């Protein structure tokens, strides 16, 4: 049986460093740096649902499944494995404040040859992660869940 560690592809704490609200009313583009300063994230967030400010600390997880026992979500639509409602089995989403499902659509090698950049789309809200190969290589899958909490 798999464990949640097997499905968690990326797990990092970040501090919000920039905010751009210029393009859309309810969406902000945030820039953030990891606690160890090795990974940089740019993320579009629906600020009406999940308000963030410069200086906020957030915990970010990218996972291939929301199941706590690590089983794949195959056979279920992503909407069917969301938050625990009406006695449904608890999921990883229950532990986070903001959850999205998206597709990893592009990888680029960093300019220094030691880093990689991953691009993910969550229904048009975009994420870019740039960091060491070792941290981001597990993201070589098609679909992921983004989970955030303060």
């Amino acid at each position: 049986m798999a464990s949640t560690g097997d499905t968690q592809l990326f797990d990092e704490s970040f501090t919000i460093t920039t905010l751009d609200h210029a393009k859309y009313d309810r969406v902000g583009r945030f820039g953030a740096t990891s606690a160890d300063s090795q990974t940089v994230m740019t993320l579009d967030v629906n600020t009406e649902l999940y308000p963030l400010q410069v200086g906020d600390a957030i915990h970010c997880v990218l996972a291939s499944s929301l199941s706590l026992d690590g089983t794949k979500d195959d056979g279920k639509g992503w909407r069917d494995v969301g938050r625990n409602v009406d006695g449904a089995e608890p999921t990883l989403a229950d532990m986070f404040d903001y959850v999205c499902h998206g597709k990893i659509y592009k990888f680029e090698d960093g300019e220094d040859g030691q880093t990689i950049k991953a691009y993910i789309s969550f229904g048009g809200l975009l994420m870019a992660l740039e960091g060491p190969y070792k941290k981001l290589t597990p993201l070589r899958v098609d679909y992921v869940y983004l989970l955030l909490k303060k």
Side-chain angles (χ1 to χ4, degrees), residues 9 14 50 54 80 86 96-97 100 104 150:
L9 308 171
F14 288 88
Y50 194 62
V54 172
D80 298 330
D86 296 330
F96 290 84
D97 303 319
C100 296
I104 298 175
K150 291 183 186 181

Side-chain angles (χ1 to χ4, degrees), residues 9-10 104 107 116 118 131-141:
L9 308 171
F10 179 80
I104 298 175
F107 280 97
I116 190 169
Y133 268 104
K134 193 175 190 178
K135 280 189 179 183
L136 301 182
T137 297
L139 296 178
R140 293 201 178 265
V141 297

Side-chain angles (χ1 to χ4, degrees), residues 21-32:
H21 253 301
K23 199 155 186 143
Y24 300 103
D25 291 336
R26 292 175 284 182
V27 174
R29 178 161 285 176
F30 295 90

